[in-house]
Amino acid sequence: QGCTQKYIVKNYFYYYLFKFSAALGEEIFYITFLPFTYWNIDHSVSRRMIIVWSIVMYIGQVSKDILKWPRPLSPPVVKLEMRTNAEYGMPSTHAMAATAISFSFFIATMNLYKYPFELGLAAAFVFSTLVCLSRLYTGMHTVLDVIGGALISAVLLVLLYPAWDTIDHLLLTSPFCPLFSIVVPLVLCYNYPKLDYYSPTRGDTTTILGATAGATVGFWLNNQYAASAHTSKTVQPGFPLITSTVVFVLARFFVGILVVLLTRWVMKSVVLGVLGHRYKFPLHDLAARRRREVEVPYKFVTYSSVGFMATVVVPLLHQLLGLM
């Protein structure tokens, strides 16, 4: 089960389209798009997206390990991925994340910027639909998994929307925000549902909650001690894509991503080294790294550092380099 099945690609357009669409529900997308919105579009939009994404993903991941519905049998389906094959299927967290991110972005921006409502709605629908279809194409989910994930995410969006402004205000102003943002996610990670075998769901959930915790502390710190974190001044209503704006947007993005990736690499090495010394295991021991007492602190500290750097240090670096 450690390798993908042999298959023949008969339509390369669909193959690459859905392989790319599947990546839109994975870490590579989260670690690029979510910071991009914070650095280049609007801070309030980014805050709302990150909070909704973390809540939706936590509920989705826990639901998988409580329901324990199996993934599609292979054969008859051909599975083009193997990393997530150890996870249960219902609900599809790819479908949940795509629905949450695309529609929360649409809802958060439709009253801030001038663009056709129908265009924004269509873009959110197409984005989420492509990710949902990719899970069927790659053989990782059933139709019911995907529909269930999208519906759960939609219901959570409806329930969370009325509290958006209240939650955002508390995250920016409450003196208890830093403590709450660290303690609650850590408690949730350490008390994640136990399985009879190892599944990457706990590690992925810790990654998401850790990144959100670091980012939330960064939001609070920016609002308390730095310039206002409410709105980016770079992108004005109408999203003017003149040459100078594009250059600054790309420069901010590449500088930020470089810092984020460097932070992840450094913190991963340092934290694993400390934990390896504490629990007496070599760094290449995969089984040891999957133990709860190692996996949770390793991933939480690493990705909370990433979230903090992305929201506090990177904007300061942008100012220092004259990119604001």
Side-chain angles (χ1 to χ4, degrees):
Q1 295 182 349
C3 59
T4 56
Q5 298 166 279
K6 293 182 179 179
Y7 53 86
I8 298 174
V9 178
K10 295 183 178 180
N11 189 314
Y12 280 96
F13 173 76
Y14 288 137
Y15 177 77
Y16 288 114
L17 173 65
F18 290 126
K19 290 286 282 185
F20 173 77
S21 300
L24 298 178
E26 298 174 356
E27 181 184 350
I28 185 64
F29 175 73
Y30 304 146
I31 209 169
T32 53
F33 179 72
L34 293 177
F36 179 89
T37 62
Y38 190 79
W39 300 329
N40 292 302
I41 297 180
D42 191 285
H43 289 179
S44 66
V45 172
S46 180
R47 292 195 302 269
R48 284 161 171 77
M49 289 175 61
I50 290 173
I51 297 304
V52 169
W53 166 67
S54 62
I55 293 173
V56 165
M57 289 298 289
Y58 176 77
I59 291 175
Q61 296 284 66
V62 169
S63 298
K64 278 186 179 183
D65 291 339
I66 291 177
L67 294 174
K68 298 183 178 180
W69 286 21
R71 289 185 182 269
L73 294 177
S74 177
V77 305
V78 176
K79 295 189 177 180
L80 306 187
E81 299 177 13
M82 280 296 156
R83 180 191 173 275
T84 58
N85 197 38
E87 298 179 10
Y88 289 106
M90 177 64 153
S92 167
T93 46
H94 272 72
M96 294 184 71
T99 302
I101 289 176
S102 59
F103 281 93
S104 61
F105 181 81
F106 166 60
I107 294 169
T109 58
M110 65 181 182
N111 293 324
L112 290 177
Y113 301 110
K114 296 179 180 178
Y115 62 82
F117 175 86
E118 296 79 6
L119 178 63
L121 181 62
F125 180 78
V126 169
F127 180 92
S128 58
T129 300
L130 281 175
V131 175
C132 290
L133 291 177
S134 74
R135 307 318 288 159
L136 303 178
Y137 183 88
T138 54
M140 301 310 296
H141 284 286
T142 65
V143 174
L144 187 59
D145 294 342
V146 169
I147 293 176
L151 287 178
I152 293 171
S153 189
V155 170
L156 289 172
L157 269 174
V158 171
L159 294 176
L160 289 170
Y161 177 71
W164 270 15
D165 291 340
T166 301
I167 294 173
D168 190 51
H169 177 74
L170 289 174
L171 291 180
L172 292 177
T173 61
S174 173
F176 302 105
C177 174
L179 180 64
F180 179 86
S181 300
I182 298 297
V183 172
V184 172
L186 267 178
V187 170
L188 293 176
C189 292
Y190 273 106
N191 291 278
Y192 193 83
K194 295 180 180 179
L195 297 177
D196 296 331
Y197 64 94
Y198 177 78
S199 168
T201 49
R202 184 183 62 202
D204 291 344
T205 303
T206 305
T207 295
I208 292 167
L209 294 184
T212 303
T216 303
V217 172
F219 298 153
W220 180 86
L221 195 64
N222 284 335
N223 190 68
Q224 297 296 315
Y225 301 107
S228 174
H230 284 284
T231 306
S232 170
K233 297 180 180 180
T234 302
V235 181
Q236 298 298 330
F239 295 91
L241 297 179
I242 57 175
T243 303
S244 60
T245 300
V246 172
V247 170
F248 274 91
V249 165
L250 292 176
R252 282 194 295 270
F253 175 72
F254 285 116
V255 168
I257 287 299
L258 180 62
V259 172
V260 164
L261 295 178
L262 183 62
T263 300
R264 185 176 66 166
W265 175 74
V266 170
M267 294 306 299
K268 178 179 179 180
S269 302
V270 171
V271 176
L272 274 179
V274 172
L275 292 172
H277 177 75
R278 168 67 176 83
Y279 294 106
K280 310 299 181 185
F281 67 87
L283 297 185
H284 61 269
D285 188 345
L286 185 58
R289 289 165 57 175
R290 288 175 170 177
R291 287 153 44 189
R292 185 182 68 170
E293 63 269 23
V294 174
E295 184 178 58
V296 171
Y298 143 55
K299 293 202 169 183
F300 191 88
V301 173
T302 297
Y303 285 91
S304 61
S305 300
V306 168
F308 184 82
M309 293 290 286
T311 54
V312 176
V313 177
V314 170
L316 292 176
L317 184 58
H318 287 163
Q319 291 183 353
L320 183 65
L321 296 176
L323 297 176
M324 299 302 291

